[in-house]
Amino acid sequence: MVSNPDSDTNSREHLLRRRRILTTGGIGLTTALAGCAGETDDSDDDTGVSNDTTDDTESDPPDMDDGGDGGDDTGTATFEITVEHPDEVEVGETHELTITARNTGDAAGEFEERLEISTLSTDEWDNADMVTLELDPGEREEVVYPELEFSEPWTVQFRLGDTRWQYDIADTKPEYDVTVEYSTEIQAGGSGTYDLPEQLYDGWEWLVIELVPTEGDLDMEDVWFRGFAETEERLYAVNHDSSDVSNGIESRGGLREGGTGIVLHSYPPSPKSEFLGWNTSIMDQSVNGENIISSDPGELYPPVSLEYSISTTSNPENLPAEYADRREDNEVWAVVSVDVTEGYLNMEDVWFRSQLTTDSRRHELSHDSQHATRGVLSRGMVKPGNTAQALYTIGEGETIEEWGYTEDARQSVNVTRKD
């Protein structure tokens, strides 16, 4: 600490304003400049955080040659500490801390205490500064740190002798990578508001989501592989025809702030197909915006518990005849009804890595399952409490043993047979 000398032309009772320069070291603070004032004040000080520290100072005895009484006058310097600080600042925000010491005693004295700093997560204290002030009775002086700055979020606490105070350093890191506004429209294939291809599935329509990033850029690859349209029953993946429409989202690149991107999702004629929102919970980017679902499932292959039953038939009721007739004359359809009891069922894993085991073979999923009502698709997820159906063709004389997954399944699945 460096202090300018008091003016030689004024008495201690009429001190000029003084300037002090204080620096802090090793505690994550910037260099602090302090302006302080020394003045005599016999009135009561403002209420604040106080610390009564005493410093007994013996005054010089009177000059006996001048005819003094020869008695000794002994007084006490008592110090009251008041601190002004913010309740909360942001990370990187420059702010001010003011410490005021007032001598409430009846003798001049020196106030000297170490200013220390710590956080609520530790009991260790680091030295910040040594505060040393010479004060006459009634005099008070401010020590100001006007350029404090913290680089991390925490609750910072200080102590100066017995006086303690604290305040919060708030995290100003952006909560989201990108903010997106979007609108939706249900449209059949062909011309309309959007020029779209014909639907692959009978009776299905297109759910068109028009995305506009308003803050930040949107990673199209992230949307392509990890963005979903959520309904009451399922999460539907992006249809790859999205890359063929005007302004369509592609599997690579980015959508700049203010740009427009079109995403297509196949939309089923199901009683539980009401659109709930755009689900970004699996995306690598954190996305902010109205009616954006970012909570569940949170990962592409979450653990899931399933119960299933199996039936065999020549003509499944949930499969259009044009697809049901594709089986050979000596084959039947095995229909596996899968109930999701806990977690989210990744349909891609069922599509590529499920199998039906009989007494003679292990059968892969028939890709005609995608045309069945509530059939398994190559991508997307089934929400808990809902059902998906997977279809397999097997020989008429085969005996079904079990349904399950291959060893390379990506999802951790707990499978229970109901019948």
Side-chain angles (χ1 to χ4, degrees):
M1 179 180 67
V2 180
S3 61
N4 290 336
D6 298 337
S7 171
D8 293 335
T9 61
N10 292 279
S11 68
R12 292 286 297 178
E13 287 76 19
H14 299 87
L15 290 175
L16 296 176
R17 295 184 62 86
R18 295 178 294 170
R19 303 286 301 177
R20 296 183 185 273
I21 300 176
L22 302 99
T23 61
T24 61
I27 59 173
L29 304 179
T30 61
T31 300
L33 303 177
C36 62
E39 59 185 31
T40 300
D41 185 358
D42 295 330
S43 63
D44 292 337
D45 199 2
D46 295 336
T47 303
V49 181
S50 64
N51 172 29
D52 292 336
T53 304
T54 59
D55 184 5
D56 295 337
T57 303
E58 183 175 340
S59 60
D60 292 332
D63 189 347
M64 299 299 294
D65 294 337
D66 292 340
D69 295 335
D72 291 336
D73 294 332
T74 302
T76 300
T78 304
F79 300 99
E80 180 182 79
I81 302 300
T82 305
V83 180
E84 295 181 18
H85 62 83
D87 293 329
E88 180 181 279
V89 295
E90 296 181 348
V91 170
E93 177 184 351
T94 300
H95 59 284
E96 184 173 286
L97 172 67
T98 301
I99 301 171
T100 302
R102 179 189 173 202
N103 186 348
T104 59
D106 55 5
E110 180 184 83
F111 174 85
E112 184 176 57
E113 291 287 357
R114 188 175 300 279
L115 178 63
E116 297 174 292
I117 186 172
S118 183
T119 72
L120 289 180
S121 60
T122 178
D123 292 330
E124 298 180 357
W125 292 86
D126 293 316
N127 293 332
D129 191 31
M130 178 64 75
V131 178
T132 304
L133 303 171
E134 295 284 350
L135 299 175
D136 283 343
E139 181 186 5
R140 63 179 175 183
E141 188 169 336
E142 291 181 352
V143 179
V144 182
Y145 299 84
E147 296 183 3
L148 298 187
E149 180 181 334
F150 295 90
S151 59
E152 297 180 7
W154 59 359
T155 298
V156 62
Q157 55 183 349
F158 293 87
R159 70 181 180 187
L160 183 68
D162 293 333
T163 304
R164 295 194 182 198
W165 65 94
Q166 66 183 46
Y167 52 93
D168 294 327
I169 312 301
D171 190 358
T172 57
K173 179 181 178 181
E175 187 176 356
Y176 300 98
D177 297 324
V178 60
T179 298
V180 175
E181 293 180 355
Y182 73 89
S183 59
T184 61
E185 183 171 326
I186 306 297
Q187 181 179 314
S191 60
T193 304
Y194 302 93
D195 186 13
L196 305 178
E198 295 296 327
Q199 258 290 351
L200 174 64
Y201 308 122
D202 293 339
W204 289 46
E205 297 177 304
W206 289 112
L207 170 63
V208 185
I209 302 180
E210 185 172 309
L211 304 171
V212 178
T214 57
E215 295 182 20
D217 295 345
L218 182 62
D219 186 338
M220 291 193 290
E221 180 180 355
D222 211 12
V223 176
W224 185 272
F225 291 107
R226 291 174 286 273
F228 292 87
E230 181 167 343
T231 70
E232 297 175 79
E233 190 174 74
R234 294 188 177 189
L235 277 64
Y236 290 93
V238 174
N239 190 290
H240 288 181
D241 284 335
S242 298
S243 61
D244 297 326
V245 300
S246 178
N247 291 327
I249 287 286
E250 300 176 356
S251 60
R252 298 176 64 187
L255 187 61
R256 301 277 307 270
E257 183 176 311
T260 299
I262 302 297
V263 184
L264 300 182
H265 298 267
S266 293
Y267 197 67
S270 166
K272 299 177 70 175
S273 62
E274 180 182 353
F275 177 71
L276 299 182
W278 187 41
N279 190 303
T280 65
S281 66
I282 301 172
M283 290 175 56
D284 291 335
Q285 280 190 303
S286 57
V287 183
N288 180 40
E290 186 177 353
N291 202 29
I292 288 178
I293 301 171
S294 58
S295 54
D296 293 321
E299 55 182 306
L300 194 56
Y301 300 100
V304 64
S305 296
L306 310 173
E307 293 182 351
Y308 73 92
S309 60
I310 305 175
S311 61
T312 57
T313 180
S314 298
N315 295 293
E317 294 181 357
N318 66 329
L319 186 64
E322 61 182 295
Y323 304 107
D325 292 341
R326 290 182 179 182
R327 65 175 177 80
E328 301 294 333
D329 292 339
N330 62 341
E331 292 180 331
V332 295
W333 288 99
V335 181
V336 180
S337 294
V338 182
D339 297 332
V340 183
T341 58
E342 186 176 355
Y344 286 69
L345 174 63
N346 186 298
M347 293 189 284
E348 179 186 350
D349 236 14
V350 180
W351 184 271
F352 291 109
R353 301 174 186 89
S354 70
Q355 61 185 10
L356 182 68
T357 303
T358 69
D359 56 352
S360 60
R361 296 186 62 182
R362 289 187 175 91
H363 295 272
E364 293 182 348
L365 177 81
S366 169
H367 288 184
D368 286 328
S369 294
Q370 65 187 315
H371 299 289
T373 303
R374 292 190 168 86
V376 167
L377 306 176
S378 60
R379 295 176 66 203
M381 308 184 83
V382 181
K383 297 169 68 174
N386 293 283
T387 300
Q389 297 204 332
L391 279 65
Y392 304 80
T393 55
I394 65 173
E396 289 182 338
E398 293 183 58
T399 301
I400 297 174
E401 293 183 354
E402 64 178 3
W403 174 82
Y405 285 78
T406 58
E407 292 182 355
D408 61 345
R410 301 182 184 184
Q411 206 168 13
S412 175
V413 185
N414 178 28
V415 179
T416 304
R417 186 168 180 175
K418 293 194 293 185
D419 54 0

